[in-house]
Amino acid sequence: MPRVCVTRRVHFSAAHRLHRSEWSEERNREVFGDCANVNWHGHNYELDVTVEGEVDPETGYVLDLKLLKRLVERSVVDDLDHRNLNLDVPWLEEKNPTTENLVVAIWDRLVSRMPEGLELKRLVLFETPRNSVEYEGR
Amino acid sequence: MPRVCVTRRVHFSAAHRLHRSEWSEERNREVFGDCANVNWHGHNYELDVTVEGEVDPETGYVLDLKLLKRLVERSVVDDLDHRNLNLDVPWLEEKNPTTENLVVAIWDRLVSRMPEGLELKRLVLFETPRNSVEYEGR
Amino acid sequence: MPRVCVTRRVHFSAAHRLHRSEWSEERNREVFGDCANVNWHGHNYELDVTVEGEVDPETGYVLDLKLLKRLVERSVVDDLDHRNLNLDVPWLEEKNPTTENLVVAIWDRLVSRMPEGLELKRLVLFETPRNSVEYEGR
Amino acid sequence: MPRVCVTRRVHFSAAHRLHRSEWSEERNREVFGDCANVNWHGHNYELDVTVEGEVDPETGYVLDLKLLKRLVERSVVDDLDHRNLNLDVPWLEEKNPTTENLVVAIWDRLVSRMPEGLELKRLVLFETPRNSVEYEGR
Amino acid sequence: MPRVCVTRRVHFSAAHRLHRSEWSEERNREVFGDCANVNWHGHNYELDVTVEGEVDPETGYVLDLKLLKRLVERSVVDDLDHRNLNLDVPWLEEKNPTTENLVVAIWDRLVSRMPEGLELKRLVLFETPRNSVEYEGR
Amino acid sequence: MPRVCVTRRVHFSAAHRLHRSEWSEERNREVFGDCANVNWHGHNYELDVTVEGEVDPETGYVLDLKLLKRLVERSVVDDLDHRNLNLDVPWLEEKNPTTENLVVAIWDRLVSRMPEGLELKRLVLFETPRNSVEYEGR
């Protein structure tokens, strides 16, 4: 059977700031610029979750996109949407919430929850329409 | 001379929460839902600023869009981008930063700074690609 | 209090064909071209619903966009999404489902359901990203 | 019968420069900046053409969007696409091709070609996704 | 010579339903949900066709995108646009028209029609802006 | 440490024409169609620059996107924006400015300027929203 990638785009809105607690505010401001603003800032994130697998000859699906949407919402989006990435998310604790660290943490949440026979292939995370990161678990 | 509207789109990323300080957290949560999250959340905002005026017969411009961009950045965007709308912006103080209140406050900043002969016509402010407000100063 | 317009974008996917039952297939094909295809075709529709009202001084809302979303879903989207506009929708019965007829029928559904003090201002309905109609109830 | 606006989006790619031939290159560069570049530059333009009229009770159309598309292509796009706005377009001759002058000239081409009973309502012309002008014939 | 991928995006609007004729309506509804609606529904599909090859040192093209557009229209789009994917398309017969089955069938149409020296590299097919599939012929 | 790709999108507007100086105008017109227009035409280009590297355990960055933006602007965009690709750009001299030749020339500019430890991974260059090329340096 042919192997096809299916992608579902989900979104969430969150606050964050970039900083390392062991650094001074001056050092944080120097390295992270406006992103270190003490009182936070925020973004509308868009996340493309891509799963690869064989097309099921009976249903014609790799997987039902409604299931993928639900899985991503329960494992990831419900914890992130309308939250503070530095303060509110247990599985981001002690991480500086750069887009890079965020995409790797999301990967680690999703990869262990993949239905049998399916491979988490790629995540693309947009922080703004012009800034994005891509991770394939390597 | 013909009257033409010119529009410049600008963007900013900010944190906020919806709440009234004189209400309990329970009441705030009841009215504003997830938007009341104590630790904030945030958005990528897009703002369309529309100015109407006669086409200058010499330049063919209503106004130079680079000037409009600079005016909006200095009067509005520099104060909002990578900031907390509840804590960091003097001209939003004591306002609940709903998109409605935000667009009216931006209007009040811009309308008094219009170059002579030009009319601030319309603001459209997107909080997400699916949620927006529009204000014409009435 | 200032009057602000708030807009929520919703979407639905539906099948339809353009035809008049009292015309022959030849006449339908002549007037409506490919859109008359006997076995239907379909679209992803996007609908912008704009409501105007005064900003509530207590909440800072014209209306809660979650309420508007729910109202539009219950009154309109639930009846249209994943349906056939010619066969499945009681309130479109005996109408040729052009985008024009569709936007007027949606208006008639929504205008009577507006919360007190709010005015249904404008509907914009996209049949494709390049083709749209706009209706203000006149 | 209800009055509905229908909009068709068309696009064209063109070269231009902003300059007045009676000014020196220095003066042109001073007023128009990079847009005065002697060797031209160019854009992908998007044009939204909006026509208002009553819904025809027989067809359910204000007008067939295929007809509108063809009318706009023949009257406007065929003359502009893959052309130089300063050199190649008879109806732009002696005009400085700012977006403002361009939208007014397009209006003048289209308004006299409207089918009976239909009103050219609004043109929106995007020079870039962030810069646009709007004209209603006033 | 460098190897470059060139991509052309095309679109088509079609009706379909997901179902297996050997299953009961109940079973189809259970597995495919609203997508099994007996009277069909539909979508605006967007298809990105990517072809890889060496840059021709004479023309600077991998291939003329106008040729690619024409090839895809003749081989694929003309058969799908404003059609019913279950009923009107000989090369989809007896296939359940999921996005996965559709992208594989389109691949099989295109791969045998590639001009000499060019490799069909990747297809991305969007059923909605948030749901897509990707196929590389494996 | 995980390897992540980071992408920054930049844009520029430029004029060009496709032609080979050793060919007659007739031959150029025959091969390149409207793109050979003697008086040029132009586009809004969008360029996605993707860089791969390990996430820095101290900052959580692969690289600061502001640095990437600045590097791309200085090496590429400042030379191309509001310019003529055939006449104004020393590093495109004697190249026919097809999108394919342009993306390869941009790659050659950027690959030698990558900060240590980072790999230029992929360029995607859009000439229009529907036409793009992709290059990975092979």
Side-chain angles (χ1 to χ4, degrees):
Chain A
M1 293 302 298
R3 291 184 71 78
V4 172
C5 289
V6 299
T7 296
R8 173 73 196 180
R9 172 167 284 200
V10 298
H11 64 101
F12 55 93
S13 297
H16 77 155
R17 64 178 295 218
L18 302 187
H19 82 134
R20 289 181 64 90
S21 51
E22 63 273 40
W23 287 355
S24 67
E25 278 313 315
E26 291 68 34
R27 176 95 177 102
N28 274 302
R29 175 63 69 168
E30 196 185 304
V31 174
F32 298 118
D34 281 349
C35 298
N37 183 43
V38 178
N39 286 327
W40 324 97
H41 65 285
H43 298 287
N44 301 324
Y45 292 88
E46 299 276 354
L47 173 67
D48 288 340
V49 179
T50 300
V51 172
E52 186 182 310
E54 289 195 359
V55 181
D56 181 318
E58 211 178 23
T59 59
Y61 279 158
V62 165
L63 87 166
D64 186 343
L65 273 173
K66 280 192 294 296
L67 295 186
L68 178 57
K69 176 171 181 271
R70 218 170 299 153
L71 187 153
V72 176
E73 285 175 351
R74 285 183 191 167
S75 318
V76 173
V77 173
D78 289 352
D79 287 350
L80 302 176
D81 192 30
H82 283 71
R83 293 294 197 292
N84 184 308
L85 303 181
N86 302 68
L87 301 179
D88 292 336
V89 189
W91 44 275
L92 291 177
E93 233 164 52
E94 305 189 25
K95 287 206 173 88
N96 186 15
T98 60
T99 328
E100 289 92 328
N101 279 340
L102 184 53
V103 80
V104 173
I106 293 173
W107 179 278
D108 291 343
R109 297 279 295 171
L110 289 176
V111 74
S112 59
R113 288 165 169 81
M114 280 296 108
E116 212 196 312
L118 298 181
E119 185 191 346
L120 183 59
K121 179 73 178 178
R122 186 177 62 226
L123 297 179
V124 183
L125 178 62
F126 289 83
E127 194 177 74
T128 72
R130 296 195 165 269
N131 291 346
S132 61
V133 297
E134 186 179 329
Y135 187 53
E136 301 191 345
R138 289 187 292 224
Chain B
M1 293 302 300
R3 291 184 70 80
V4 171
C5 290
V6 299
T7 297
R8 172 73 195 180
R9 171 166 285 200
V10 299
H11 64 101
F12 54 93
S13 298
H16 77 154
R17 63 179 295 220
L18 302 187
H19 82 134
R20 287 181 65 89
S21 51
E22 63 273 39
W23 288 355
S24 67
E25 278 314 315
E26 290 67 34
R27 177 94 178 103
N28 274 303
R29 174 63 69 168
E30 197 184 304
V31 173
F32 297 118
D34 282 349
C35 298
N37 183 42
V38 178
N39 287 326
W40 325 96
H41 65 285
H43 299 288
N44 302 324
Y45 292 87
E46 299 276 352
L47 172 67
D48 288 341
V49 179
T50 300
V51 172
E52 185 181 310
E54 288 196 358
V55 180
D56 181 317
E58 210 177 23
T59 59
Y61 278 157
V62 166
L63 87 167
D64 186 342
L65 274 174
K66 279 192 295 295
L67 294 186
L68 179 57
K69 175 171 182 268
R70 217 169 301 153
L71 187 153
V72 177
E73 284 175 352
R74 284 182 192 168
S75 317
V76 173
V77 173
D78 289 352
D79 287 350
L80 301 176
D81 192 31
H82 283 73
R83 291 297 196 290
N84 183 309
L85 303 181
N86 302 67
L87 302 179
D88 292 335
V89 189
W91 45 276
L92 291 176
E93 233 164 52
E94 305 190 24
K95 288 208 172 87
N96 186 15
T98 60
T99 328
E100 289 92 329
N101 279 341
L102 184 54
V103 81
V104 173
I106 292 173
W107 179 277
D108 291 343
R109 298 279 294 171
L110 290 176
V111 74
S112 60
R113 288 167 169 81
M114 280 296 107
E116 212 195 313
L118 299 180
E119 186 193 343
L120 183 58
K121 180 74 177 179
R122 186 177 61 226
L123 297 179
V124 183
L125 178 61
F126 289 83
E127 194 177 75
T128 71
R130 297 195 163 268
N131 291 347
S132 62
V133 298
E134 187 178 327
Y135 187 55
E136 301 192 345
R138 290 186 294 221
Chain C
M1 292 303 299
R3 291 184 70 80
V4 171
C5 290
V6 299
T7 297
R8 172 72 196 182
R9 172 165 285 198
V10 298
H11 64 101
F12 54 91
S13 298
H16 78 155
R17 64 179 295 220
L18 302 187
H19 82 133
R20 288 180 64 89
S21 51
E22 63 273 40
W23 287 356
S24 68
E25 278 313 316
E26 290 68 33
R27 177 93 177 103
N28 274 302
R29 174 63 69 169
E30 197 184 304
V31 173
F32 297 117
D34 281 350
C35 298
N37 183 43
V38 179
N39 287 326
W40 324 96
H41 65 286
H43 298 289
N44 302 324
Y45 292 88
E46 300 276 353
L47 173 67
D48 288 340
V49 179
T50 299
V51 172
E52 185 182 310
E54 289 196 356
V55 181
D56 181 318
E58 211 179 23
T59 59
Y61 279 157
V62 165
L63 87 166
D64 187 342
L65 274 173
K66 279 191 294 296
L67 295 187
L68 179 57
K69 176 171 182 269
R70 218 169 301 152
L71 187 152
V72 176
E73 284 175 351
R74 284 181 193 169
S75 317
V76 174
V77 173
D78 289 352
D79 287 351
L80 302 176
D81 191 32
H82 283 73
R83 292 295 198 291
N84 184 308
L85 303 180
N86 302 67
L87 302 178
D88 293 335
V89 188
W91 45 275
L92 292 177
E93 232 164 52
E94 305 191 25
K95 288 208 172 86
N96 186 15
T98 59
T99 328
E100 289 93 329
N101 279 340
L102 184 53
V103 81
V104 173
I106 292 173
W107 179 278
D108 292 343
R109 297 279 295 171
L110 289 177
V111 74
S112 60
R113 288 167 170 82
M114 280 295 106
E116 212 196 312
L118 298 180
E119 185 192 345
L120 184 59
K121 180 73 178 180
R122 187 177 62 226
L123 297 179
V124 183
L125 177 61
F126 289 83
E127 195 177 76
T128 73
R130 297 195 163 269
N131 291 346
S132 61
V133 297
E134 186 178 327
Y135 186 54
E136 301 191 346
R138 290 186 293 222
Chain D
M1 292 303 300
R3 291 184 71 80
V4 171
C5 289
V6 299
T7 296
R8 172 71 197 182
R9 171 166 285 199
V10 299
H11 63 101
F12 53 92
S13 298
H16 78 154
R17 64 178 296 219
L18 302 187
H19 83 134
R20 288 180 66 88
S21 51
E22 63 273 39
W23 287 355
S24 67
E25 277 315 314
E26 289 68 34
R27 176 94 177 104
N28 274 302
R29 174 63 69 168
E30 197 183 302
V31 173
F32 298 118
D34 282 349
C35 298
N37 183 43
V38 178
N39 287 327
W40 324 96
H41 65 284
H43 298 288
N44 302 323
Y45 292 88
E46 299 276 352
L47 173 66
D48 288 341
V49 179
T50 300
V51 172
E52 186 181 310
E54 288 195 358
V55 181
D56 181 317
E58 210 178 23
T59 59
Y61 279 157
V62 166
L63 87 167
D64 186 342
L65 274 174
K66 279 192 294 296
L67 295 186
L68 178 57
K69 175 171 183 270
R70 218 170 298 152
L71 187 153
V72 177
E73 285 175 351
R74 284 181 193 169
S75 317
V76 174
V77 173
D78 289 352
D79 287 350
L80 303 176
D81 192 31
H82 283 73
R83 291 296 197 292
N84 184 309
L85 303 181
N86 303 67
L87 302 179
D88 292 335
V89 188
W91 45 276
L92 293 176
E93 233 164 51
E94 305 190 25
K95 287 208 173 87
N96 186 15
T98 60
T99 328
E100 289 93 329
N101 279 339
L102 184 53
V103 80
V104 173
I106 292 172
W107 179 278
D108 291 343
R109 298 279 295 171
L110 289 177
V111 74
S112 60
R113 287 167 169 83
M114 280 295 107
E116 212 195 313
L118 298 180
E119 185 192 344
L120 184 58
K121 180 73 178 179
R122 187 177 61 226
L123 296 179
V124 183
L125 178 62
F126 289 83
E127 195 176 75
T128 71
R130 296 194 163 269
N131 291 347
S132 61
V133 298
E134 186 178 328
Y135 187 54
E136 301 192 345
R138 290 186 292 224
Chain E
M1 292 304 299
R3 291 184 72 79
V4 172
C5 290
V6 299
T7 297
R8 172 73 196 180
R9 171 167 284 200
V10 298
H11 64 102
F12 54 92
S13 298
H16 78 154
R17 63 180 295 220
L18 302 187
H19 81 134
R20 290 181 62 90
S21 51
E22 63 273 40
W23 287 356
S24 67
E25 278 313 316
E26 290 69 32
R27 177 95 178 102
N28 274 301
R29 175 62 70 166
E30 197 185 303
V31 173
F32 298 118
D34 281 349
C35 299
N37 183 43
V38 178
N39 287 327
W40 324 97
H41 65 284
H43 299 288
N44 301 325
Y45 292 88
E46 299 276 353
L47 173 66
D48 288 340
V49 179
T50 300
V51 172
E52 185 181 311
E54 289 196 357
V55 181
D56 181 316
E58 211 177 23
T59 59
Y61 279 158
V62 166
L63 87 166
D64 186 342
L65 274 174
K66 280 191 295 296
L67 295 186
L68 179 57
K69 176 170 182 269
R70 217 170 300 152
L71 187 153
V72 176
E73 284 174 351
R74 285 184 190 165
S75 317
V76 174
V77 173
D78 289 352
D79 287 350
L80 302 176
D81 192 31
H82 283 73
R83 293 294 198 290
N84 184 308
L85 304 181
N86 302 68
L87 301 178
D88 292 336
V89 188
W91 45 275
L92 291 177
E93 233 164 51
E94 306 189 26
K95 288 208 172 86
N96 186 15
T98 59
T99 328
E100 289 92 328
N101 279 340
L102 183 54
V103 80
V104 172
I106 292 172
W107 179 278
D108 292 343
R109 297 279 295 171
L110 289 176
V111 74
S112 60
R113 287 166 170 80
M114 281 294 107
E116 212 195 311
L118 298 180
E119 184 192 346
L120 184 59
K121 180 73 178 178
R122 185 176 63 225
L123 297 178
V124 183
L125 178 61
F126 289 84
E127 195 176 74
T128 73
R130 296 194 164 269
N131 291 347
S132 63
V133 298
E134 187 179 328
Y135 187 55
E136 301 191 345
R138 289 187 294 223
Chain F
M1 292 302 299
R3 290 184 73 78
V4 171
C5 290
V6 299
T7 297
R8 172 73 196 180
R9 172 167 284 199
V10 299
H11 64 101
F12 53 94
S13 297
H16 78 154
R17 64 179 296 219
L18 302 186
H19 82 134
R20 288 182 64 91
S21 52
E22 64 273 40
W23 287 355
S24 68
E25 277 314 314
E26 290 68 34
R27 175 94 178 103
N28 274 301
R29 174 63 70 169
E30 197 184 303
V31 173
F32 297 117
D34 282 348
C35 298
N37 183 43
V38 177
N39 286 328
W40 326 96
H41 66 285
H43 298 287
N44 301 325
Y45 292 88
E46 300 275 353
L47 173 67
D48 288 340
V49 179
T50 300
V51 172
E52 185 181 311
E54 289 196 358
V55 180
D56 181 316
E58 211 177 24
T59 59
Y61 279 157
V62 165
L63 87 167
D64 186 342
L65 274 174
K66 279 191 295 296
L67 295 186
L68 179 56
K69 176 170 182 270
R70 218 170 300 153
L71 187 153
V72 176
E73 284 174 352
R74 285 183 192 167
S75 318
V76 173
V77 173
D78 289 352
D79 287 350
L80 302 176
D81 192 31
H82 283 72
R83 292 295 197 291
N84 184 308
L85 303 181
N86 302 68
L87 302 178
D88 293 335
V89 189
W91 45 275
L92 291 177
E93 233 163 51
E94 305 189 27
K95 287 206 173 86
N96 186 16
T98 60
T99 328
E100 289 92 328
N101 279 341
L102 183 54
V103 80
V104 173
I106 292 173
W107 179 278
D108 291 343
R109 296 280 295 171
L110 289 177
V111 74
S112 60
R113 286 166 170 81
M114 280 296 107
E116 212 197 312
L118 298 180
E119 185 192 345
L120 184 58
K121 180 74 178 179
R122 185 176 62 226
L123 297 178
V124 183
L125 178 61
F126 289 83
E127 195 177 73
T128 73
R130 296 193 165 270
N131 290 347
S132 61
V133 297
E134 186 179 328
Y135 187 53
E136 302 191 344
R138 289 186 293 223

